[in-house]
mmCIF file of all heavy atoms in Angstrom:
data_model
loop_
_atom_site.group_PDB
_atom_site.id
_atom_site.type_symbol
_atom_site.label_atom_id
_atom_site.label_comp_id
_atom_site.label_asym_id
_atom_site.label_seq_id
_atom_site.Cartn_x
_atom_site.Cartn_y
_atom_site.Cartn_z
ATOM 1 N N ARG A 122 9.706 -31.226 56.039
ATOM 2 C CA ARG A 122 8.476 -31.043 55.261
ATOM 3 C C ARG A 122 7.315 -31.644 56.050
ATOM 4 O O ARG A 122 7.392 -32.775 56.523
ATOM 5 C CB ARG A 122 8.629 -31.771 53.925
ATOM 6 C CG ARG A 122 7.456 -31.578 53.002
ATOM 7 C CD ARG A 122 7.706 -32.270 51.687
ATOM 8 N NE ARG A 122 7.797 -33.706 51.931
ATOM 9 C CZ ARG A 122 8.391 -34.569 51.142
ATOM 10 N NH1 ARG A 122 8.967 -34.169 50.052
ATOM 11 N NH2 ARG A 122 8.425 -35.848 51.429
ATOM 12 N N MET A 123 6.267 -30.857 56.223
ATOM 13 C CA MET A 123 5.089 -31.356 56.931
ATOM 14 C C MET A 123 4.437 -32.429 56.072
ATOM 15 O O MET A 123 4.245 -32.240 54.874
ATOM 16 C CB MET A 123 4.095 -30.230 57.145
ATOM 17 C CG MET A 123 4.516 -29.237 58.180
ATOM 18 S SD MET A 123 3.184 -28.092 58.536
ATOM 19 C CE MET A 123 3.865 -26.593 57.869
ATOM 20 N N SER A 124 4.093 -33.542 56.690
ATOM 21 C CA SER A 124 3.351 -34.574 55.980
ATOM 22 C C SER A 124 1.892 -34.522 56.404
ATOM 23 O O SER A 124 1.015 -34.267 55.605
ATOM 24 C CB SER A 124 3.961 -35.942 56.257
ATOM 25 O OG SER A 124 5.243 -36.031 55.693
ATOM 26 N N THR A 125 1.626 -34.732 57.677
ATOM 27 C CA THR A 125 0.261 -34.677 58.182
ATOM 28 C C THR A 125 0.224 -33.860 59.472
ATOM 29 O O THR A 125 -0.227 -34.339 60.500
ATOM 30 C CB THR A 125 -0.293 -36.100 58.466
ATOM 31 O OG1 THR A 125 0.563 -36.724 59.442
ATOM 32 C CG2 THR A 125 -0.366 -36.937 57.213
ATOM 33 N N LEU A 126 0.693 -32.640 59.407
ATOM 34 C CA LEU A 126 0.758 -31.795 60.597
ATOM 35 C C LEU A 126 -0.447 -30.862 60.608
ATOM 36 O O LEU A 126 -0.642 -30.051 59.721
ATOM 37 C CB LEU A 126 2.056 -30.985 60.568
ATOM 38 C CG LEU A 126 2.598 -30.478 61.883
ATOM 39 C CD1 LEU A 126 2.940 -31.622 62.816
ATOM 40 C CD2 LEU A 126 3.841 -29.648 61.640
ATOM 41 N N ASP A 127 -1.292 -31.015 61.608
ATOM 42 C CA ASP A 127 -2.485 -30.193 61.780
ATOM 43 C C ASP A 127 -2.108 -29.006 62.692
ATOM 44 O O ASP A 127 -2.025 -29.137 63.904
ATOM 45 C CB ASP A 127 -3.597 -31.033 62.417
ATOM 46 C CG ASP A 127 -4.870 -30.261 62.719
ATOM 47 O OD1 ASP A 127 -4.876 -29.031 62.583
ATOM 48 O OD2 ASP A 127 -5.843 -30.913 63.111
ATOM 49 N N ALA A 128 -1.874 -27.855 62.066
ATOM 50 C CA ALA A 128 -1.395 -26.677 62.799
ATOM 51 C C ALA A 128 -2.356 -26.232 63.894
ATOM 52 O O ALA A 128 -1.943 -25.778 64.953
ATOM 53 C CB ALA A 128 -1.101 -25.527 61.822
ATOM 54 N N LYS A 129 -3.660 -26.370 63.654
ATOM 55 C CA LYS A 129 -4.663 -25.969 64.653
ATOM 56 C C LYS A 129 -4.512 -26.815 65.921
ATOM 57 O O LYS A 129 -4.498 -26.289 67.028
ATOM 58 C CB LYS A 129 -6.067 -26.100 64.075
ATOM 59 C CG LYS A 129 -7.139 -25.631 65.015
ATOM 60 C CD LYS A 129 -8.524 -25.747 64.381
ATOM 61 C CE LYS A 129 -9.596 -25.344 65.386
ATOM 62 N NZ LYS A 129 -10.931 -25.550 64.838
ATOM 63 N N ALA A 130 -4.396 -28.124 65.754
ATOM 64 C CA ALA A 130 -4.213 -29.012 66.913
ATOM 65 C C ALA A 130 -2.898 -28.747 67.606
ATOM 66 O O ALA A 130 -2.815 -28.780 68.840
ATOM 67 C CB ALA A 130 -4.300 -30.479 66.463
ATOM 68 N N ILE A 131 -1.850 -28.454 66.842
ATOM 69 C CA ILE A 131 -0.523 -28.161 67.403
ATOM 70 C C ILE A 131 -0.631 -26.949 68.339
ATOM 71 O O ILE A 131 -0.001 -26.910 69.402
ATOM 72 C CB ILE A 131 0.524 -27.918 66.296
ATOM 73 C CG1 ILE A 131 0.769 -29.189 65.491
ATOM 74 C CG2 ILE A 131 1.814 -27.344 66.856
ATOM 75 C CD1 ILE A 131 1.407 -30.330 66.234
ATOM 76 N N ARG A 132 -1.410 -25.939 67.930
ATOM 77 C CA ARG A 132 -1.556 -24.732 68.750
ATOM 78 C C ARG A 132 -2.376 -24.963 70.021
ATOM 79 O O ARG A 132 -2.251 -24.226 70.977
ATOM 80 C CB ARG A 132 -2.164 -23.596 67.932
ATOM 81 C CG ARG A 132 -1.220 -23.002 66.903
ATOM 82 C CD ARG A 132 -1.784 -21.723 66.295
ATOM 83 N NE ARG A 132 -2.973 -21.963 65.495
ATOM 84 C CZ ARG A 132 -2.971 -22.298 64.204
ATOM 85 N NH1 ARG A 132 -1.820 -22.438 63.581
ATOM 86 N NH2 ARG A 132 -4.103 -22.484 63.552
ATOM 87 N N GLN A 133 -3.222 -25.982 70.015
ATOM 88 C CA GLN A 133 -4.149 -26.195 71.121
ATOM 89 C C GLN A 133 -3.645 -27.113 72.222
ATOM 90 O O GLN A 133 -4.005 -26.940 73.386
ATOM 91 C CB GLN A 133 -5.468 -26.793 70.595
ATOM 92 C CG GLN A 133 -6.285 -25.816 69.809
ATOM 93 C CD GLN A 133 -7.557 -26.497 69.298
ATOM 94 O OE1 GLN A 133 -7.534 -27.607 68.823
ATOM 95 N NE2 GLN A 133 -8.665 -25.775 69.428
ATOM 96 N N PHE A 134 -2.824 -28.113 71.870
ATOM 97 C CA PHE A 134 -2.496 -29.157 72.830
ATOM 98 C C PHE A 134 -0.991 -29.413 72.901
ATOM 99 O O PHE A 134 -0.266 -29.149 71.955
ATOM 100 C CB PHE A 134 -3.191 -30.479 72.432
ATOM 101 C CG PHE A 134 -4.654 -30.321 72.178
ATOM 102 C CD1 PHE A 134 -5.156 -30.443 70.903
ATOM 103 C CD2 PHE A 134 -5.531 -30.047 73.226
ATOM 104 C CE1 PHE A 134 -6.524 -30.296 70.661
ATOM 105 C CE2 PHE A 134 -6.889 -29.886 72.993
ATOM 106 C CZ PHE A 134 -7.381 -30.025 71.709
ATOM 107 N N PRO A 135 -0.490 -29.953 74.025
ATOM 108 C CA PRO A 135 0.937 -30.277 74.148
ATOM 109 C C PRO A 135 1.409 -31.217 73.020
ATOM 110 O O PRO A 135 0.626 -32.033 72.522
ATOM 111 C CB PRO A 135 1.041 -30.989 75.503
ATOM 112 C CG PRO A 135 -0.169 -30.534 76.251
ATOM 113 C CD PRO A 135 -1.240 -30.325 75.242
ATOM 114 N N VAL A 136 2.668 -31.066 72.664
ATOM 115 C CA VAL A 136 3.249 -31.828 71.560
ATOM 116 C C VAL A 136 4.383 -32.710 72.083
ATOM 117 O O VAL A 136 5.214 -32.257 72.863
ATOM 118 C CB VAL A 136 3.813 -30.881 70.466
ATOM 119 C CG1 VAL A 136 4.539 -31.671 69.374
ATOM 120 C CG2 VAL A 136 2.716 -30.026 69.880
ATOM 121 N N LEU A 137 4.395 -33.940 71.615
ATOM 122 C CA LEU A 137 5.505 -34.860 71.884
ATOM 123 C C LEU A 137 6.115 -35.264 70.545
ATOM 124 O O LEU A 137 5.451 -35.901 69.732
ATOM 125 C CB LEU A 137 4.995 -36.092 72.640
ATOM 126 C CG LEU A 137 6.059 -37.112 73.039
ATOM 127 C CD1 LEU A 137 7.021 -36.524 74.067
ATOM 128 C CD2 LEU A 137 5.403 -38.379 73.593
ATOM 129 N N ILE A 138 7.347 -34.841 70.301
ATOM 130 C CA ILE A 138 8.062 -35.221 69.078
ATOM 131 C C ILE A 138 8.658 -36.606 69.291
ATOM 132 O O ILE A 138 9.301 -36.852 70.314
ATOM 133 C CB ILE A 138 9.190 -34.221 68.752
ATOM 134 C CG1 ILE A 138 8.644 -32.814 68.526
ATOM 135 C CG2 ILE A 138 9.968 -34.673 67.521
ATOM 136 C CD1 ILE A 138 9.713 -31.739 68.460
ATOM 137 N N MET A 139 8.454 -37.510 68.326
ATOM 138 C CA MET A 139 8.947 -38.873 68.409
ATOM 139 C C MET A 139 10.049 -39.062 67.362
ATOM 140 O O MET A 139 9.828 -38.786 66.196
ATOM 141 C CB MET A 139 7.824 -39.868 68.087
ATOM 142 C CG MET A 139 6.573 -39.677 68.918
ATOM 143 S SD MET A 139 6.764 -40.328 70.534
ATOM 144 C CE MET A 139 7.149 -42.024 70.156
ATOM 145 N N ASP A 140 11.211 -39.544 67.811
ATOM 146 C CA ASP A 140 12.276 -39.843 66.860
ATOM 147 C C ASP A 140 12.946 -41.157 67.235
ATOM 148 O O ASP A 140 12.900 -41.564 68.393
ATOM 149 C CB ASP A 140 13.299 -38.700 66.820
ATOM 150 C CG ASP A 140 14.016 -38.607 65.479
ATOM 151 O OD1 ASP A 140 13.834 -39.500 64.625
ATOM 152 O OD2 ASP A 140 14.784 -37.645 65.279
ATOM 153 N N ASP A 141 13.563 -41.792 66.251
ATOM 154 C CA ASP A 141 14.197 -43.088 66.488
ATOM 155 C C ASP A 141 15.485 -42.948 67.276
ATOM 156 O O ASP A 141 15.710 -43.705 68.226
ATOM 157 C CB ASP A 141 14.423 -43.860 65.198
ATOM 158 C CG ASP A 141 15.180 -43.056 64.127
ATOM 159 O OD1 ASP A 141 15.409 -41.852 64.329
ATOM 160 O OD2 ASP A 141 15.500 -43.637 63.076
ATOM 161 N N LEU A 142 16.332 -42.008 66.904
ATOM 162 C CA LEU A 142 17.573 -41.826 67.647
ATOM 163 C C LEU A 142 18.077 -40.400 67.593
ATOM 164 O O LEU A 142 17.722 -39.631 66.723
ATOM 165 C CB LEU A 142 18.647 -42.772 67.123
ATOM 166 C CG LEU A 142 19.459 -42.322 65.896
ATOM 167 C CD1 LEU A 142 20.905 -42.603 66.140
ATOM 168 C CD2 LEU A 142 19.008 -43.073 64.658
ATOM 169 N N VAL A 143 18.924 -40.110 68.574
ATOM 170 C CA VAL A 143 19.630 -38.831 68.594
ATOM 171 C C VAL A 143 21.096 -39.129 68.322
ATOM 172 O O VAL A 143 21.698 -39.952 69.021
ATOM 173 C CB VAL A 143 19.493 -38.111 69.958
ATOM 174 C CG1 VAL A 143 20.408 -36.919 70.021
ATOM 175 C CG2 VAL A 143 18.087 -37.711 70.200
ATOM 176 N N ASP A 144 21.619 -38.490 67.315
ATOM 177 C CA ASP A 144 23.034 -38.630 67.015
ATOM 178 C C ASP A 144 23.699 -37.297 67.338
ATOM 179 O O ASP A 144 24.310 -37.137 68.383
ATOM 180 C CB ASP A 144 23.228 -39.025 65.551
ATOM 181 C CG ASP A 144 24.609 -39.542 65.268
ATOM 182 O OD1 ASP A 144 25.581 -38.983 65.807
ATOM 183 O OD2 ASP A 144 24.751 -40.498 64.500
ATOM 184 N N SER A 145 23.486 -36.300 66.495
ATOM 185 C CA SER A 145 24.048 -34.966 66.746
ATOM 186 C C SER A 145 23.094 -34.081 67.527
ATOM 187 O O SER A 145 23.500 -33.111 68.141
ATOM 188 C CB SER A 145 24.400 -34.305 65.419
ATOM 189 O OG SER A 145 23.207 -34.002 64.705
ATOM 190 N N GLY A 146 21.792 -34.372 67.468
ATOM 191 C CA GLY A 146 20.780 -33.541 68.119
ATOM 192 C C GLY A 146 20.201 -32.464 67.232
ATOM 193 O O GLY A 146 19.276 -31.755 67.633
ATOM 194 N N LEU A 147 20.707 -32.318 65.994
ATOM 195 C CA LEU A 147 20.236 -31.263 65.107
ATOM 196 C C LEU A 147 18.775 -31.403 64.711
ATOM 197 O O LEU A 147 18.055 -30.425 64.610
ATOM 198 C CB LEU A 147 21.119 -31.197 63.839
ATOM 199 C CG LEU A 147 22.523 -30.651 64.025
ATOM 200 C CD1 LEU A 147 23.330 -30.803 62.740
ATOM 201 C CD2 LEU A 147 22.481 -29.196 64.444
ATOM 202 N N THR A 148 18.341 -32.613 64.459
ATOM 203 C CA THR A 148 16.937 -32.833 64.060
ATOM 204 C C THR A 148 15.987 -32.360 65.137
ATOM 205 O O THR A 148 15.055 -31.593 64.879
ATOM 206 C CB THR A 148 16.697 -34.318 63.722
ATOM 207 O OG1 THR A 148 17.547 -34.700 62.640
ATOM 208 C CG2 THR A 148 15.244 -34.562 63.347
ATOM 209 N N LEU A 149 16.229 -32.801 66.376
ATOM 210 C CA LEU A 149 15.342 -32.400 67.477
ATOM 211 C C LEU A 149 15.347 -30.905 67.724
ATOM 212 O O LEU A 149 14.313 -30.293 67.978
ATOM 213 C CB LEU A 149 15.686 -33.151 68.754
ATOM 214 C CG LEU A 149 15.305 -34.621 68.807
ATOM 215 C CD1 LEU A 149 15.738 -35.240 70.118
ATOM 216 C CD2 LEU A 149 13.816 -34.826 68.585
ATOM 217 N N GLN A 150 16.532 -30.307 67.649
ATOM 218 C CA GLN A 150 16.630 -28.858 67.853
ATOM 219 C C GLN A 150 15.810 -28.115 66.799
ATOM 220 O O GLN A 150 15.069 -27.169 67.110
ATOM 221 C CB GLN A 150 18.088 -28.406 67.799
ATOM 222 C CG GLN A 150 18.892 -28.821 68.994
ATOM 223 C CD GLN A 150 20.379 -28.534 68.819
ATOM 224 O OE1 GLN A 150 20.812 -28.004 67.806
ATOM 225 N NE2 GLN A 150 21.174 -28.928 69.805
ATOM 226 N N THR A 151 15.957 -28.525 65.540
ATOM 227 C CA THR A 151 15.241 -27.893 64.438
ATOM 228 C C THR A 151 13.733 -28.035 64.591
ATOM 229 O O THR A 151 12.986 -27.076 64.493
ATOM 230 C CB THR A 151 15.709 -28.483 63.087
ATOM 231 O OG1 THR A 151 17.104 -28.266 62.946
ATOM 232 C CG2 THR A 151 14.968 -27.835 61.921
ATOM 233 N N LEU A 152 13.285 -29.259 64.863
ATOM 234 C CA LEU A 152 11.856 -29.506 64.966
ATOM 235 C C LEU A 152 11.223 -28.791 66.157
ATOM 236 O O LEU A 152 10.131 -28.232 66.048
ATOM 237 C CB LEU A 152 11.575 -31.006 65.076
ATOM 238 C CG LEU A 152 11.717 -31.780 63.773
ATOM 239 C CD1 LEU A 152 11.403 -33.240 64.003
ATOM 240 C CD2 LEU A 152 10.836 -31.206 62.698
ATOM 241 N N ARG A 153 11.895 -28.823 67.279
ATOM 242 C CA ARG A 153 11.369 -28.151 68.455
ATOM 243 C C ARG A 153 11.143 -26.662 68.161
ATOM 244 O O ARG A 153 10.085 -26.104 68.458
ATOM 245 C CB ARG A 153 12.338 -28.343 69.622
ATOM 246 C CG ARG A 153 11.893 -27.658 70.892
ATOM 247 C CD ARG A 153 12.850 -27.932 72.041
ATOM 248 N NE ARG A 153 12.633 -27.041 73.142
ATOM 249 C CZ ARG A 153 11.613 -27.100 73.973
ATOM 250 N NH1 ARG A 153 10.725 -28.039 73.845
ATOM 251 N NH2 ARG A 153 11.484 -26.233 74.949
ATOM 252 N N LYS A 154 12.130 -26.036 67.561
ATOM 253 C CA LYS A 154 12.039 -24.625 67.227
ATOM 254 C C LYS A 154 10.877 -24.363 66.256
ATOM 255 O O LYS A 154 10.079 -23.441 66.455
ATOM 256 C CB LYS A 154 13.360 -24.164 66.604
ATOM 257 C CG LYS A 154 13.404 -22.714 66.209
ATOM 258 C CD LYS A 154 14.747 -22.379 65.594
ATOM 259 C CE LYS A 154 14.706 -21.016 64.954
ATOM 260 N NZ LYS A 154 15.847 -20.755 64.094
ATOM 261 N N GLU A 155 10.764 -25.193 65.224
ATOM 262 C CA GLU A 155 9.705 -25.003 64.218
ATOM 263 C C GLU A 155 8.306 -25.198 64.815
ATOM 264 O O GLU A 155 7.385 -24.465 64.505
ATOM 265 C CB GLU A 155 9.913 -25.936 63.021
ATOM 266 C CG GLU A 155 11.161 -25.666 62.221
ATOM 267 C CD GLU A 155 11.131 -24.329 61.502
ATOM 268 O OE1 GLU A 155 10.030 -23.791 61.254
ATOM 269 O OE2 GLU A 155 12.223 -23.792 61.183
ATOM 270 N N ILE A 156 8.160 -26.206 65.676
ATOM 271 C CA ILE A 156 6.848 -26.485 66.262
ATOM 272 C C ILE A 156 6.471 -25.401 67.280
ATOM 273 O O ILE A 156 5.310 -24.997 67.364
ATOM 274 C CB ILE A 156 6.810 -27.915 66.838
ATOM 275 C CG1 ILE A 156 6.825 -28.893 65.664
ATOM 276 C CG2 ILE A 156 5.578 -28.125 67.696
ATOM 277 C CD1 ILE A 156 6.980 -30.339 66.033
ATOM 278 N N LEU A 157 7.447 -24.912 68.015
ATOM 279 C CA LEU A 157 7.159 -23.771 68.906
ATOM 280 C C LEU A 157 6.749 -22.544 68.103
ATOM 281 O O LEU A 157 5.861 -21.803 68.502
ATOM 282 C CB LEU A 157 8.367 -23.465 69.805
ATOM 283 C CG LEU A 157 8.575 -24.425 70.973
ATOM 284 C CD1 LEU A 157 9.933 -24.192 71.623
ATOM 285 C CD2 LEU A 157 7.455 -24.295 72.008
ATOM 286 N N ASN A 158 7.393 -22.354 66.946
ATOM 287 C CA ASN A 158 7.029 -21.218 66.053
ATOM 288 C C ASN A 158 5.603 -21.338 65.541
ATOM 289 O O ASN A 158 4.985 -20.339 65.212
ATOM 290 C CB ASN A 158 8.002 -21.105 64.879
ATOM 291 C CG ASN A 158 9.338 -20.543 65.292
ATOM 292 O OD1 ASN A 158 9.476 -19.925 66.351
ATOM 293 N ND2 ASN A 158 10.354 -20.763 64.472
#
């Protein structure tokens, strides 16, 4: 769920996703796909 995601800024500039840990990798895979979309 987007909390404070500015879609206009996302489309204009590089994105760095920040997460505390990778366990299975599912969270990062999902987010990367959604942000690229």
